[in-house]
Every structure is written in structure tokens, then in C-alpha cells.
Amino acid sequence: MDWVYKGKCWKFGDNLGIDGDVMPLRFALERELDPAVLSPFLMDGVDPDFSNKVSPGDIIVAGKRFGQGNPHIQGFLGIIGHGLGLVAETIPRGSFRNAINAGLPFLTDCDGVTADVETGDDLEVNFQTGEFRNLSRDITRQFQPLGTQLQTIIEAGGWAPNLEKRLAKLRSNDSAIT
């Protein structure tokens, strides 16, 4: 997995709801989990043309409480479907867990990051080390990256692939003992 994303900034403000703003609620109600199905609807509530403008490696930079509301995973899977990263001032606890479960590279608790960017700026973010660079404005900031255990889950592709990997390891250890 490549932890360094280099692409355009897509800036959003505070209090974006996971249902409605980031992803239409109907996908949570339908329990849709396919990133390819979800990605065309990403950010529909705030920018209906968003999915047509982004490219893999681009980075969403958001304010406080990104993904607030009911903790549904569909919005984060939509981000994954586009190959985007996420940097946010804050993310509520349920959405924090779902970003990890989805396998999304992200940084949170990035106070004031939205003041350092505008949509269209060229960014480079190392999600493993927490280094954030706005290449357009010559700004470099260091944020606290996720812990290594959480990075391991993201690197595996999220919660389910990480569980499968751990179970396979246990099975191979069991067969080596018998």
C-alpha cells in the first residue's frame, strides 16, 4: 500500500453529515457495500458533480465533525472507490471507526488545516507519518498519524480483510502444531 497521496485538494467545511452530504442515506438503508457502486454518489449532497471531478490520489480536506450523524460506512467506501485520502480537523468516534473499517487512509485532529488550503491546491500527504504538504502554498505541517495497530488494519484493506489475514495466520499456526 502506498501511504503517500499526491493530488488536488477538495476542501469542505464543518459538520458534513455522513448521510445526505457525503453519501445518500438510501445506500445505508440498502446496505450497499461495493465501493464501485457507491463512488459515483460521493459528496452528492454538497457537490453533485464531485465524482466527475476527482482523480485517484486527490485528498478531501474537511473541517470539524466530518461524517457526523449515524455511523454508516458507505461514505467512506465511496471515498475508497475513488482512491482518495481524507484529512479532517475532527471526525466523530463512530465515523472514525468506520473510516478504519473501510481501509481509508486518513488523518484527523488536524486543527486549522482548512485555513491552509483551498480547493485545487496541490497537496502531498503521508498518511503513515502525518506529514502534510500544500505544494501550491509552500506550507508543511506535521499531524499525529494513526497508531501502528490502526495502520495495520488500513493497510490490510479494512476490518474484514484484516480479520481474514489474522484468521489465516491462526490456521497456519494450528496446522504447524498438529
Side-chain angles (χ1 to χ4, degrees):
M1 172 177 176
D2 187 3
W3 286 92
V4 178
Y5 282 47
K6 190 172 182 179
K8 297 285 181 207
C9 171
W10 298 94
K11 179 180 174 179
F12 295 94
D14 297 340
N15 303 315
L16 285 175
I18 197 69
D19 298 326
D21 293 331
V22 178
M23 184 64 56
L25 174 62
R26 73 179 177 95
F27 292 109
L29 299 175
E30 295 168 2
R31 295 187 169 100
E32 179 60 61
L33 298 174
D34 184 348
V37 171
L38 297 167
S39 63
F41 301 93
L42 182 63
M43 306 306 275
D44 253 8
V46 291
D47 182 355
D49 199 36
F50 181 77
S51 290
N52 296 320
K53 297 186 277 189
V54 297
S55 299
D58 286 355
I59 299 143
I60 294 171
V61 177
K64 296 176 179 93
R65 298 190 47 76
F66 178 84
Q68 71 176 355
N70 289 322
H72 296 132
I73 197 169
Q74 285 74 16
F76 298 105
L77 293 172
I79 295 171
I80 289 287
H82 280 290
L84 308 178
L86 171 66
V87 176
E89 292 193 26
T90 62
I91 299 174
R93 180 177 41 205
S95 288
F96 178 94
R97 288 191 311 262
N98 277 331
I100 293 164
N101 291 341
L104 175 66
F106 72 100
L107 297 174
T108 187
D109 298 324
C110 302
D111 291 333
V113 71
T114 56
D116 291 340
V117 300
E118 290 300 330
T119 293
D121 286 354
D122 291 315
L123 303 181
E124 182 175 284
V125 178
N126 185 326
F127 290 96
Q128 192 169 39
T129 67
E131 183 179 23
F132 176 94
R133 296 178 58 214
N134 184 330
L135 304 172
S136 297
R137 298 171 190 270
D138 196 28
I139 296 171
T140 299
R141 297 200 47 201
Q142 182 63 47
F143 296 113
Q144 182 68 39
L146 297 174
T148 55
Q149 289 179 324
L150 298 179
Q151 287 184 15
T152 298
I153 296 168
I154 291 169
E155 190 163 31
W159 177 83
N162 185 62
L163 177 62
E164 288 299 323
K165 181 179 169 183
R166 290 175 53 210
L167 290 174
K169 185 177 179 182
L170 287 173
R171 287 184 199 113
S172 70
N173 288 342
D174 284 347
S175 62
I177 293 171
T178 57

